[in-house]
Amino acid sequence: MKKAVNSLKITPDVVLIDGNIAPDLNLETKTVIKGDTLSISIACASILAKVTRDKLMIELSKKYPKYGFENNKGYGTKLHIENIKKYGLCEIHRKSFVGKIFNCDSK
């Protein structure tokens, strides 16, 4: 998030964050728990992020067909977890999340 905000071409007056943890920015930040239900700006950003991520996962499924990214979009579905167990991790798997799936520390 910090990288995204710092790469903006304009400097926002305030950064709205969905959740309760704000990155260390040199800007005013406001955390909003359940922000996607309380802020139209956060809701719109959430939709744009999901659509973009889904398209990216479809493209990545061509490079990593074993994992079924075109169907699971990277979420820890039963089949996705089974494929990780069978084939191991690929370079795009986020180890911090995989550790949660397998109840271990994979950092």
Side-chain angles (χ1 to χ4, degrees):
M1 187 183 309
K2 188 174 184 176
K3 183 178 177 182
V5 171
N6 288 335
S7 66
L8 292 172
K9 293 180 181 177
I10 61 166
T11 303
D13 295 324
V14 64
V15 178
L16 297 176
I17 298 164
D18 187 10
N20 62 354
I21 300 172
D24 183 23
L25 300 171
N26 292 326
L27 299 166
E28 180 183 354
T29 60
K30 290 186 181 179
T31 59
V32 184
I33 296 171
K34 303 238 183 236
D36 57 340
T37 64
L38 300 172
S39 165
I40 192 74
S41 298
I42 292 175
C44 290
S46 179
I47 292 167
L48 290 173
K50 177 151 179 28
V51 169
T52 300
R53 182 172 189 269
D54 288 354
K55 287 180 181 179
L56 175 64
M57 296 309 293
I58 290 168
E59 285 301 309
L60 287 168
S61 71
K62 296 171 187 170
K63 185 174 180 180
Y64 304 101
K66 298 176 186 177
Y67 298 98
F69 292 137
E70 71 280 8
N71 297 315
N72 62 46
K73 307 298 188 289
Y75 290 102
T77 64
K78 182 179 177 183
L79 182 59
H80 188 186
I81 292 168
E82 288 173 5
N83 288 338
I84 290 171
K85 288 178 181 177
K86 184 174 181 179
Y87 301 112
L89 300 177
C90 71
E91 65 184 278
I92 67 164
H93 281 107
R94 294 180 287 173
K95 291 173 180 56
S96 60
F97 284 89
V98 173
K100 293 175 187 176
I101 290 171
F102 294 107
N103 294 319
C104 64
D105 185 12
S106 297
K107 291 182 182 179

